[in-house]
Amino acid sequence: DPNAAITIIMNPSNPIAYDFNEVKVFTAPFANMYDIVPAGEMGAYTVTKIDSLGYISFKFAKYQTVASFRLMKNSEMQKSFTLYGFSLENDNPGITYHSIGINGASLGSWLRCQHFARQLKMLKPDWMLILLGTNDGYVQNFNPERFYSSYVDLISRIKQYCPDIVITFVVPNDCYLFRRRPNPATEEQEKQVLRLVAKYHESMFSVYDCMGGFGSSKIWAERGMMAADKVHMTVSGYKLCANMLFNAFLRTYDWYLDAEKTR
């Protein structure tokens, strides 16, 4: 519909001010698409557009709390519009955090995302944490070499568009296979991730090791940290793992600061 419109309103009751002065629009790299323009009262703005990457940036003169856009058809050549998403950003100091994922996704799922690496480039990321493997390993006969080669393919695509990005490989949690027995695939995946760490000279964080290794999900389930399926964690379990990851990051950053002092 060339008259389609979309509006995103920040939650007014949230104590954190999620205002923004830039909206990045991710579309398909296709020339014959409708135009997209700000609607409502968003005020003056400048536009940066890269057709080959399907990327449009709107930089506004004033900070906004409502993002409102509409489509426009200005030519008979324009046939459709594909929207992948928005990124609402501002110039304030700090960290911009993005999280992506979906239940059931495997390495093959990400390799089928044709525009993923291109769109990642537009976010200009400094650090990327990749946690994959649970779905790849939830099979009767896990193939370690296929897992490794698929991972190399994904990293190669990412590095093509983001050559300076820092990557931390995250080994997934221990789990049970079909609720019957501990899954040996996770330990094999950790070995392959260690190969990736050596190949790319990047870092690794192992949820599997933090849990206690092979079969530890049974203990976590008994303590209320994992669901009955012994695959997914409870809220308490996920929070504990997140705290361990963040503490590991802080310790490593402290070591870096200490090393800088001695130079």
Side-chain angles (χ1 to χ4, degrees):
D1 181 358
N3 298 310
I6 185 170
T7 298
I8 302 173
I9 303 173
M10 300 297 102
N11 186 351
S13 62
N14 195 315
I16 301 174
Y18 283 109
D19 51 356
F20 55 91
N21 64 345
E22 182 177 11
V23 178
K24 294 176 180 176
V25 182
F26 297 94
T27 71
F30 177 56
N32 297 327
M33 288 200 303
Y34 303 141
D35 295 320
I36 183 170
V37 295
E41 300 179 358
M42 299 187 71
Y45 61 89
T46 57
V47 181
T48 301
K49 188 175 182 181
I50 305 177
D51 288 333
S52 60
L53 295 178
Y55 167 80
I56 309 170
S57 170
F58 296 91
K59 193 70 179 283
F60 295 91
K62 296 181 179 180
Y63 276 74
Q64 314 284 329
T65 58
V66 176
S68 186
F69 288 86
R70 61 186 177 88
L71 300 183
M72 290 180 60
K73 183 175 181 177
N74 296 313
S75 165
E76 289 301 318
M77 297 291 292
Q78 295 172 303
K79 303 296 183 182
S80 64
F81 186 86
T82 301
L83 175 66
Y84 288 111
F86 295 100
S87 180
L88 311 181
E89 301 179 10
N90 58 43
D91 296 326
N92 298 336
I95 295 172
T96 300
Y97 171 78
H98 295 271
S99 175
I100 53 177
I102 188 170
N103 287 344
S106 62
L107 277 163
S109 307
W110 292 107
L111 292 174
R112 288 193 296 272
C113 296
Q114 298 179 4
H115 309 305
F116 170 62
R118 295 188 186 96
Q119 292 170 345
L120 190 66
K121 177 183 179 180
M122 296 297 97
L123 293 176
K124 300 178 181 178
D126 298 301
W127 183 29
M128 184 178 192
L129 291 88
I130 307 178
L131 197 170
L132 290 169
T134 299
N135 295 306
D136 298 86
Y138 206 76
V139 293
Q140 289 285 5
N141 298 303
F142 174 68
N143 187 324
E145 284 299 324
R146 182 183 300 168
F147 179 77
Y148 176 78
S149 61
S150 296
Y151 228 136
V152 168
D153 191 358
L154 179 65
I155 300 305
S156 298
R157 296 183 191 188
I158 292 171
K159 290 284 188 178
Q160 178 185 353
Y161 289 93
C162 305
D164 299 322
I165 192 172
V166 174
I167 295 174
T168 297
F169 299 100
V170 183
V171 180
N173 57 272
D174 176 74
C175 67
Y176 265 48
L177 189 61
F178 310 124
R179 302 193 180 207
R180 291 196 296 269
R181 56 185 174 83
N183 191 350
T186 311
E187 191 160 323
E188 288 297 320
Q189 288 174 348
E190 184 169 76
K191 294 176 183 177
Q192 303 312 312
V193 169
L194 285 168
R195 289 176 65 188
L196 294 166
V197 169
K199 177 179 177 62
Y200 295 105
H201 305 287
E202 300 286 3
S203 61
M204 181 187 87
F205 179 82
S206 177
V207 179
Y208 179 74
D209 286 346
C210 288
M211 288 182 65
F214 184 69
S216 56
S217 53
K218 182 177 183 294
I219 300 172
W220 278 55
E222 292 171 351
R223 303 291 174 88
M225 309 295 279
M226 289 198 79
D229 62 6
K230 298 185 183 68
V231 174
H232 300 91
M233 294 187 181
T234 61
V235 173
S236 299
Y238 283 124
K239 283 185 176 180
L240 177 59
C241 289
N243 285 332
M244 286 191 287
L245 171 61
F246 189 64
N247 287 334
F249 165 72
L250 289 180
R251 281 198 307 272
T252 307
Y253 187 57
D254 284 340
W255 295 338
Y256 164 76
L257 292 178
D258 291 340
E260 287 292 297
K261 291 177 184 177
T262 59
R263 287 186 180 181

